[in-house]
Amino acid sequence: QEEELALAGYLDAHDLPYVWILTKCDKLKRAVLHRRLAEIADQLAPAEFLTTSSRTGAGVAELWKWLERAISV
């Protein structure tokens, strides 16, 4: 996690777009997931994050949309 935070700092310093991708979100119960996401949002603010699940496909379309916007800048 330290390396990831350092990379985020670099990207911020160079005004480069990025998004945190939280994977395997289908592994947590809904209440636990919402609580954990609130904690993560506080830790990563003001950075953006997306949640995904390869098993259910949840969040994958949103990730593709984010990538399309990022590369069209």
Side-chain angles (χ1 to χ4, degrees), residues 27-43:
K27 301 286 184 184
L28 298 174
K29 294 182 180 178
R30 185 179 290 288
V32 175
L33 176 62
H34 287 295
R35 186 171 58 249
R36 189 68 185 115
L37 291 178
E39 293 169 0
I40 291 169
D42 287 343
Q43 292 172 353

Side-chain angles (χ1 to χ4, degrees), residues 5-20:
L5 294 173
L7 176 57
Y10 175 86
L11 296 171
D12 283 336
H14 291 81
D15 203 26
L16 296 170
Y18 68 94
V19 64
W20 294 92

Side-chain angles (χ1 to χ4, degrees), residues 9-70:
Y10 175 86
L11 296 171
D12 283 336
H14 291 81
D15 203 26
L16 296 170
Y18 68 94
V19 64
W20 294 92
I21 308 299
L22 309 177
T23 61
K24 299 181 182 174
C25 288
D26 58 304
K27 301 286 184 184
L28 298 174
K29 294 182 180 178
R30 185 179 290 288
V32 175
L33 176 62
H34 287 295
R35 186 171 58 249
R36 189 68 185 115
L37 291 178
E39 293 169 0
I40 291 169
D42 287 343
Q43 292 172 353
L44 299 180
E48 182 180 357
F49 67 89
L50 299 172
T51 59
T52 63
S53 167
S54 62
R55 187 176 63 81
T56 67
V60 174
E62 292 81 1
L63 174 56
W64 278 113
K65 288 177 188 174
W66 189 94
L67 289 168
E68 289 171 356
R69 285 192 313 269

